[in-house]
Amino acid sequence: MVKRRVDSRCASPTTAVFVCLQLASREASPDAMASSHSSSPVPRPGCGGRDGIYPKERDPSPGRCRPIRSLPDVCPKEPTGEGRGLCNGPSVVAEHDRWTVYSSKVNLPAALNDPRLAKRESDFFTKTWGLDFAETDVMPSFYLPIITREHFAPYLQEMAQRERIHERCKTICPNKDDVDAVACIATNHDKSRAELEQVPKIFMKPDFALDDPATFNAVLPWSHFNSGGKSSRDVASSKLLQEKLSHYLDVVEVSIARQISLRSEAFFHAMSSQHELQDRLQETQHAVAILRGRTATMDRVMCQGPLQALRTALTRNNCVKLHNKLKLMAAVHQTQPTVQLLLSTSEFVGALELISTTKEVLQQELQGIHSFRHLGSQLCELEKLIDKMMVEDFSMYARSDLNRSLRDEQQVLEKERLESLVFGLLRQRKLDFLDIYNNEMIVAAKAIVTQCVAESVVHIEEIDTEVVIKLADQIRLMMFPEWFELLKNVFESFLLFLQRINATLNVIRNVVLEVLDSNQKIRLLEEASSGASGQETSQAPLLLQGEAELAFLTHEGLFISDALNDAQQQQQQQQAALAAQDRSTAGGSRIQQARVETTETSASREQSFMSSENMMPTDLELNRVTNNLQELLSTASDVSHDRCVKVLTARAKDGSLERLSSAEFVCLSQAVDAFVRDTEELCGRRSVSLRGALQSQANRFVHRFHEERKTKLSLLLDNERWKQAEVPAEFQDLVNSIADGRITLPERKTPGPDDRKPAEFLLVNGQKYAVVGTVLLLIRIFLEYCQCVNDIPSNATDMLTRLSDLLKHFNSRSCQLVLGAGALEVVGLKTITTKNLALASRCLQLVVHYIPIIRAHFETKLQPKQFSVLRHFDHITKDYNDHIAEISAKLVAIMDSLFEKVLSKYEVKAPMPSACFRNVCKQMAKMHEAIYDLIPEEQMKMLFLRINAGFKMHLKRQLARLGVINDGGPQHGLVVVDVAFYTENIQALKSLERLDPNMAEIWEQKR
């Protein structure tokens, strides 16, 4: 039968090849037949009639909806596809398809792993949901425990032995049915594959088509049909080709029949369930028709009337909303004229608040209004214009405030205007307005100096402003009193200038602090509102049930789940409508209020800031502005000091400040210190420019001060004749004040008729000092140094070094003149006497007495880290004591040379006392008489003990040379008489009565 069918089909070779190809392609994919049951054999009519089948997919219904029972699955499911349950069947009341997640064509992993992209997009989520989406770690749930492998350890230990036994049994004893089934399937599969391999591969290609000439020539060679005659060979070839194609067809049909036989049960099962499915569909169609009829009746009886009432109420609400919108539009329409009116009165804050409120209304309540499509951009341009106007107005205010008369009692000019400007600039985040004030401040500081110089020059006839044009030249032409008066005027002007700036900056600081306070209030209100909104959201689900029922009745043809969703949306829309109505009413009232108000208090400004919080700078920026205010005040102080330095350096350019007297420079230093203290107290920061300029001038002044006094001291020493000078009463008073602890120069007294006479000695703590005139002036000079340190404490170290140099100069120069006998040539003295030496020693002792006092005074003026410079006084004291010791040695040496000369001629013979001893006693009496009034008694005793020791040494040496010994002989007696004469004369001198010469040392000790 198969052969007859093949013969009948092969009447056309092309038809036979096509059928063979189709059967072979089915045989090539055996699994294709397995999935043929998934396509429903039931036809699906169109959606036009009521009795049709409506393929609507819907979401699973909530708990209140009765679930629809699904039909039994009559077809076995294949692992390659998912069966469609009847839960995705037609909707009962809706005739349109609802979109569900199953309608999506591409899932999320496919979108993320698109192979067509060269590089996977890393910002797939973050570009829409924020940068923190991909990086945020998901916190583990608090309700789920953390399961680890240890939780399964007991179970694994219990089942491990059983699993090993089970696996061993599966290996040893496999299932017989499984083995047979697998063997049968494998045998049939191998047999089918062997038969199909007989068919050429060209029939198995997926792109096989006989309309392709190449394919057609490969299947049917033209060599069999091109011959002209019908020879036996051609007929045999045609029959052979026909037989071959018929064989291929038989192989494919047999394979198809084998596959059909394997799946015959499924086919018959599907066909048997087809009739049952048709019956159930007819029942369902009838039930739907009845349900729709009942629904239409319910709609006509129960819904149309209430719905009409609801529609009427909704229409009324819409009319009310429209009326409110029109009123709001009318208010917005008047925004620009109102802003112009506010700007004409410089009410920048009110204008900005009106613009902000209008923009907010346009973005919320009036969004999409066609007539207002350009108003937003116009308001933005108007806001930019207000920014420029505020900056220009603030610049004009700063210029007028800083350049007005400093004698004006009003500290702050137009305080309300300043507050309004600062509020507006802060609102627009124009935080660089302090730079404008800084620039105007620098210009005003220059003008202050120019104005003060001009006012001073007007009163000076010697300065012609037409000839001398430059301010520096005019300043240098002034006398010191005039210039000093100018400097004090400049100081006073700048102090008033800084006080005015401080008052203005305090007003600005108060505005900034007020804004900070308003920001804190805003945060507190936000926290309170967030807590209240949380409570409202917890109560909101309780109101949804009744509204859901009403929504179910007012929506035709929707499920209850859809009604619930629409009820929620309706509630949200009603709340939004109420809020929009409130906002529109509030917006209209705000616009009306802003249009009416022309002045604004601080409380209203604060309220405006709270209503426009997004435009306000942050707390960090406001704190930065506050710090900049303090920096600006310090900058004003620095600028003032710099301008004063210009005045100071202009005067000092020709060295006139170096030539000032001590009193004048002290007045200058005190004035500068007072100004610097006042500015530092006002601004709270130390300025160094003016102090540095004064320090530089002080260093030059100290240098000149020291050089003048050093030169003066050198001249005094070069003219000193080293004779005792009388001590005027003023010097005695000076010494007495030092003894009382007042190391300052007393005021000069005008000479009067009852003045005291000069004294012969200088009394210091009860001791008499015979001094020369140079030392008296030296005491006054180092008191001048101490007074200068009191007046200029910053130069204490420099002054100490200079004073040390002066004392060293006095010591070295006096040594050259007295011990070095330089006075013989400089002054013209004939000789340096013992009186000169004693007087010089006493003067040095007086200076040594005052060195510790000077040291203690300087120590109070130095910083602890500067105490190291005090070592100069220790070195000076050592040098002076060495000098005094050298003078004493010189006195002893003078007498020693005299003893050596006189005693070298001594002979032991009558008459007694000898002339030699008479001469020695005479010279010692002369020396005592010369220095007795100059040297204290203790120093006198020590000096004559040293002289006596020298005398005994020379006498002992002469007696040894003469051979006179202590033997009681005549020569010994004569020597004893001379020695007694010497002792008597020595002890007869004043203050030497108790001096023991100890003349027994002149004799050699007996061995």
Side-chain angles (χ1 to χ4, degrees):
M1 183 180 66
V2 173
K3 185 175 182 179
R4 286 199 304 270
R5 187 170 59 250
V6 171
D7 292 340
S8 63
R9 290 178 182 175
C10 290
S12 174
T14 304
T15 304
V17 170
F18 178 76
V19 172
C20 181
L21 174 63
Q22 297 296 329
L23 293 174
S25 62
R26 294 181 183 179
E27 181 65 23
S29 58
D31 295 336
M33 298 295 295
S35 62
S36 62
H37 70 280
S38 61
S39 60
S40 176
V42 181
R44 309 182 96 180
C47 299
R50 290 177 57 89
D51 298 333
I53 298 175
Y54 303 95
K56 176 179 182 294
E57 296 177 2
R58 58 185 177 86
D59 296 333
S61 59
R64 295 183 60 186
C65 181
R66 185 180 63 183
I68 299 176
R69 293 179 297 174
S70 61
L71 294 177
D73 191 1
V74 297
C75 300
K77 294 184 178 180
E78 293 292 333
T80 58
E82 297 180 356
R84 275 178 58 183
L86 292 180
C87 61
N88 294 329
S91 173
V92 179
V93 294
E95 298 183 0
H96 60 277
D97 293 340
R98 289 170 55 88
W99 189 92
T100 64
V101 293
Y102 301 105
S103 302
S104 176
K105 303 301 181 183
V106 180
N107 57 1
L108 185 60
L112 294 178
N113 300 316
D114 191 354
R116 294 173 297 178
L117 297 179
K119 182 179 180 181
R120 184 174 298 175
E121 296 184 9
S122 60
D123 59 345
F124 184 82
F125 295 107
T126 58
K127 66 184 180 182
T128 304
W129 297 332
L131 295 176
D132 297 334
F133 179 81
E135 300 177 1
T136 303
D137 297 334
V138 179
M139 294 182 62
S141 175
F142 296 104
Y143 302 102
L144 298 179
I146 300 176
I147 305 301
T148 61
R149 188 175 180 84
E150 286 72 10
H151 290 81
F152 300 95
Y155 175 77
L156 293 175
Q157 291 176 2
E158 181 181 353
M159 301 302 296
Q161 183 65 24
R162 299 181 183 180
E163 183 182 5
R164 286 194 295 269
I165 296 173
H166 176 69
E167 293 295 334
R168 187 162 57 249
C169 292
K170 284 175 60 178
T171 305
I172 297 173
C173 302
N175 192 354
K176 180 178 179 181
D177 296 335
D178 294 342
V179 173
D180 295 340
V182 171
C184 181
I185 293 173
T187 303
N188 293 333
H189 183 70
D190 294 341
K191 184 176 179 181
S192 299
R193 183 177 295 278
E195 292 176 352
L196 288 174
E197 287 179 353
Q198 298 176 8
V199 181
K201 300 298 182 183
I202 190 172
F203 295 107
M204 304 299 180
K205 290 184 179 180
D207 55 349
F208 177 81
L210 288 176
D211 54 356
D212 186 9
T215 304
F216 189 83
N217 291 334
V219 174
L220 298 174
W222 286 101
S223 59
H224 298 282
F225 305 102
N226 289 337
S227 60
K230 296 182 180 179
S231 60
S232 60
R233 182 180 179 182
D234 293 337
V235 173
S237 298
S238 298
K239 288 183 178 181
L240 181 60
L241 178 61
Q242 185 175 1
E243 291 293 335
K244 187 187 297 184
L245 293 176
S246 298
H247 176 68
Y248 295 159
L249 179 60
D250 291 339
V251 170
V252 173
E253 285 183 348
V254 168
S255 179
I256 292 174
R258 185 182 297 113
Q259 295 294 332
I260 292 174
S261 65
L262 291 175
R263 292 167 175 79
S264 60
E265 184 180 356
F267 280 121
F268 288 118
H269 190 188
M271 294 302 297
S272 62
S273 63
Q274 181 71 23
H275 298 288
E276 184 180 358
L277 182 62
Q278 290 286 352
D279 296 338
R280 293 202 178 192
L281 286 175
Q282 290 179 359
E283 293 176 1
T284 303
Q285 183 180 0
H286 181 67
V288 168
I290 295 174
L291 179 60
R292 286 191 173 184
R294 292 178 180 177
T295 304
T297 304
M298 290 176 62
D299 177 58
R300 184 176 60 258
V301 175
M302 300 178 63
C303 296
Q304 288 183 359
L307 283 177
Q308 183 63 33
L310 290 175
R311 291 190 187 98
T312 305
L314 183 61
T315 302
R316 182 182 180 281
N317 291 333
N318 290 336
C319 292
V320 172
K321 293 178 184 178
L322 178 61
H323 182 256
N324 293 333
K325 290 287 183 182
L326 292 175
K327 290 195 297 183
L328 186 60
M329 291 174 63
V332 169
H333 185 67
Q334 297 296 323
T335 298
Q336 289 181 322
T338 308
V339 169
Q340 297 293 339
L341 178 63
L342 292 174
L343 292 180
S344 63
T345 58
S346 298
E347 284 296 327
F348 299 107
V349 177
L352 291 172
E353 174 63 20
L354 179 58
I355 291 175
S356 176
T357 304
T358 305
K359 289 170 68 176
E360 182 181 357
V361 170
L362 286 175
Q363 292 175 0
Q364 295 179 2
E365 286 84 359
L366 299 181
Q367 186 177 9
I369 302 298
H370 185 71
S371 60
F372 290 150
R373 63 186 183 278
H374 301 303
L375 184 58
S377 59
Q378 293 174 358
L379 292 178
C380 291
E381 294 296 329
L382 190 59
E383 193 172 5
K384 293 179 182 179
L385 177 62
I386 293 175
D387 291 346
K388 295 180 181 179
M389 292 178 63
M390 284 193 299
V391 172
E392 293 177 359
D393 200 5
F394 184 78
S395 178
M396 293 175 59
Y397 173 84
R399 192 179 302 113
S400 60
D401 179 48
L402 295 173
N403 292 324
R404 61 192 173 98
S405 176
L406 296 174
R407 302 299 185 271
D408 192 355
E409 296 181 357
Q410 186 179 4
Q411 286 286 342
V412 181
L413 180 66
E414 299 180 10
K415 183 177 178 181
E416 291 79 7
R417 178 187 174 190
L418 176 61
E419 290 178 346
S420 177
L421 284 172
V422 175
F423 269 111
L425 291 170
L426 290 177
R427 179 190 178 87
Q428 297 303 107
R429 304 180 82 114
K430 299 291 183 181
L431 304 181
D432 56 346
F433 65 93
L434 294 180
D435 297 336
I436 301 174
Y437 196 85
N438 186 24
N439 297 332
E440 296 295 338
M441 178 186 64
I442 294 174
V443 175
K446 295 180 181 179
I448 288 175
V449 176
T450 305
Q451 182 67 24
C452 291
V453 173
E455 291 177 357
S456 299
V457 170
V458 169
H459 301 89
I460 302 176
E461 299 178 356
E462 291 79 4
I463 300 177
D464 188 359
T465 55
E466 296 180 357
V467 178
V468 184
I469 300 176
K470 295 184 178 180
L471 292 179
D473 297 336
Q474 296 176 2
I475 290 174
R476 281 191 287 273
L477 290 177
M478 296 179 182
M479 302 300 292
F480 177 77
E482 298 168 347
W483 175 82
F484 187 63
E485 192 65 28
L486 167 66
L487 185 64
K488 290 194 295 184
N489 189 18
V490 170
F491 287 164
E492 183 181 359
S493 299
F494 274 120
L495 195 58
L496 295 174
F497 180 68
L498 292 176
Q499 291 174 355
R500 177 172 297 173
I501 292 175
N502 186 30
T504 302
L505 295 182
N506 283 334
V507 174
I508 299 176
R509 185 181 293 106
N510 292 335
V511 173
V512 176
L513 294 178
E514 187 176 347
V515 175
L516 276 172
D517 185 49
S518 67
N519 287 346
Q520 294 178 359
K521 291 181 179 179
I522 290 171
R523 284 195 296 271
L524 293 176
L525 290 176
E526 288 178 351
E527 293 175 358
S529 62
S530 63
S533 63
Q535 294 178 358
E536 291 177 0
T537 53
S538 64
Q539 296 175 358
L542 300 177
L543 302 176
L544 293 178
Q545 185 174 0
E547 295 180 358
E549 295 175 355
L550 178 61
F552 175 71
L553 294 176
T554 56
H555 288 73
E556 296 181 353
L558 290 181
F559 288 112
I560 297 178
S561 61
D562 298 331
L564 285 171
N565 294 331
D566 290 342
Q568 294 177 357
Q569 294 178 1
Q570 184 178 3
Q571 182 189 13
Q572 293 176 0
Q573 290 176 359
Q574 290 177 358
Q575 292 178 354
L578 292 175
Q581 183 176 359
D582 294 339
R583 284 198 303 269
S584 63
T585 306
S589 63
R590 288 201 302 267
I591 294 174
Q592 294 291 338
Q593 182 180 3
R595 193 164 63 243
V596 171
E597 290 181 354
T598 56
T599 58
E600 194 173 32
T601 61
S602 61
S604 63
R605 291 195 190 97
E606 180 180 352
Q607 184 66 29
S608 68
F609 281 122
M610 294 177 65
S611 64
S612 60
E613 52 183 316
N614 294 330
M615 294 295 296
M616 288 306 299
T618 61
D619 291 352
L620 181 61
E621 293 174 337
L622 293 175
N623 290 328
R624 191 180 297 117
V625 171
T626 305
N627 297 332
N628 291 339
L629 288 172
Q630 185 61 36
E631 289 295 329
L632 184 59
L633 184 60
S634 302
T635 303
S637 176
D638 294 339
V639 169
S640 302
H641 284 208
D642 292 340
R643 305 317 302 177
C644 294
V645 168
K646 295 288 185 182
V647 177
L648 199 64
T649 53
R651 178 70 179 181
K653 190 173 182 180
D654 58 351
S656 58
L657 293 183
E658 301 175 14
R659 296 189 295 270
L660 296 178
S661 64
S662 300
E664 291 174 342
F665 192 84
V666 166
C667 292
L668 173 62
S669 176
Q670 291 176 350
V672 171
D673 288 338
F675 175 70
V676 171
R677 284 194 305 271
D678 292 340
T679 54
E680 288 177 356
E681 182 180 357
L682 182 63
C683 302
R685 194 174 74 173
R686 182 181 180 87
S687 298
V688 297
S689 58
L690 187 56
R691 288 182 182 272
L694 179 63
Q695 185 65 36
S696 177
Q697 295 300 325
N699 293 336
R700 297 177 185 176
F701 171 77
V702 167
H703 177 72
R704 185 194 58 81
F705 178 87
H706 173 67
E707 291 299 328
E708 287 181 355
R709 277 141 188 82
K710 187 175 180 180
T711 303
K712 181 179 180 180
L713 181 62
S714 298
L715 292 175
L716 290 174
L717 288 173
D718 291 343
N719 294 317
E720 182 61 57
R721 303 189 65 84
W722 298 101
K723 292 182 179 180
Q724 183 178 0
E726 294 181 345
V727 179
E730 59 174 333
F731 284 97
Q732 185 61 53
D733 295 338
L734 191 65
V735 170
N736 294 337
S737 66
I738 296 174
D740 295 338
R742 298 189 301 273
I743 309 178
T744 55
L745 287 174
E747 297 180 358
R748 292 183 177 271
K749 297 180 180 180
T750 56
D754 55 347
D755 286 345
R756 293 172 294 171
K757 294 183 179 180
E760 187 177 0
F761 297 97
L762 184 66
L763 294 177
V764 180
N765 294 333
Q767 291 188 13
K768 293 182 178 180
Y769 284 89
V771 295
V772 296
T774 303
V775 174
L776 294 176
L777 294 177
L778 178 62
I779 294 173
R780 185 175 183 84
I781 287 173
F782 67 66
L783 282 179
E784 290 177 354
Y785 276 82
C786 295
Q787 182 66 37
C788 189
V789 169
N790 293 337
D791 297 331
I792 314 176
S794 59
N795 282 40
T797 55
D798 192 15
M799 194 66 70
L800 187 148
T801 306
R802 307 284 183 171
L803 180 57
S804 301
D805 180 66
L806 184 74
L807 294 176
K808 289 179 181 178
H809 177 69
F810 174 78
N811 185 35
S812 60
R813 188 57 180 164
S814 61
C815 182
Q816 293 173 3
L817 293 174
V818 180
L819 285 178
L824 299 180
E825 298 179 359
V826 176
V827 186
L829 295 180
K830 296 181 180 180
T831 181
I832 302 299
T833 62
T834 55
K835 190 171 184 178
N836 299 137
L837 292 172
L839 193 58
S841 176
R842 197 58 176 160
C843 291
L844 293 175
Q845 292 174 21
L846 179 61
V847 175
V848 170
H849 171 76
Y850 282 113
I851 286 178
I853 300 175
I854 299 173
R855 176 194 174 105
H857 178 73
F858 272 88
E859 188 174 358
T860 59
K861 305 300 179 182
L862 294 175
Q863 299 293 332
K865 60 182 180 181
Q866 299 173 337
F867 285 168
S868 59
V869 297
L870 296 174
R871 66 180 184 276
H872 293 299
F873 289 114
D874 300 332
H875 298 161
I876 293 171
T877 303
K878 182 177 179 302
D879 293 341
Y880 271 73
N881 289 329
D882 293 342
H883 190 186
I884 295 171
E886 289 178 3
I887 293 176
S888 300
K890 183 65 176 178
L891 291 173
V892 175
I894 291 172
M895 297 304 296
D896 197 49
S897 61
L898 177 65
F899 293 154
E900 183 179 5
K901 179 180 179 181
V902 173
L903 292 178
S904 62
K905 301 177 181 179
Y906 176 62
E907 294 180 357
V908 184
K909 61 181 181 179
M912 294 297 166
S914 63
C916 181
F917 269 77
R918 291 176 182 274
N919 191 13
V920 168
C921 291
K922 181 179 178 182
Q923 294 297 329
M924 292 186 71
K926 286 183 178 180
M927 182 177 180
H928 179 272
E929 183 181 0
I931 67 175
Y932 173 73
D933 295 331
L934 305 178
I935 298 178
E937 292 184 3
E938 293 296 329
Q939 295 183 18
M940 182 73 72
K941 291 180 181 179
M942 295 299 298
L943 178 62
F944 273 88
L945 282 176
R946 293 177 62 186
I947 294 173
N948 180 59
F951 174 75
K952 290 189 292 182
M953 181 188 66
H954 288 287
L955 180 59
K956 182 178 181 180
R957 189 180 302 162
Q958 183 65 20
L959 291 176
R961 188 165 48 250
L962 295 175
V964 179
I965 59 176
N966 185 12
D967 56 356
Q971 289 185 337
H972 175 262
L974 293 176
V975 172
V976 170
V977 173
D978 284 338
V979 168
F981 176 75
Y982 170 78
T983 303
E984 182 180 356
N985 280 276
I986 290 296
Q987 293 180 346
L989 298 176
K990 293 181 180 180
S991 70
L992 299 180
E993 293 85 359
R994 298 182 180 180
L995 183 65
D996 185 10
N998 193 13
M999 298 304 294
E1001 296 178 353
I1002 64 174
W1003 305 107
E1004 291 287 344
Q1005 298 293 332
K1006 293 182 179 181
R1007 298 180 181 178

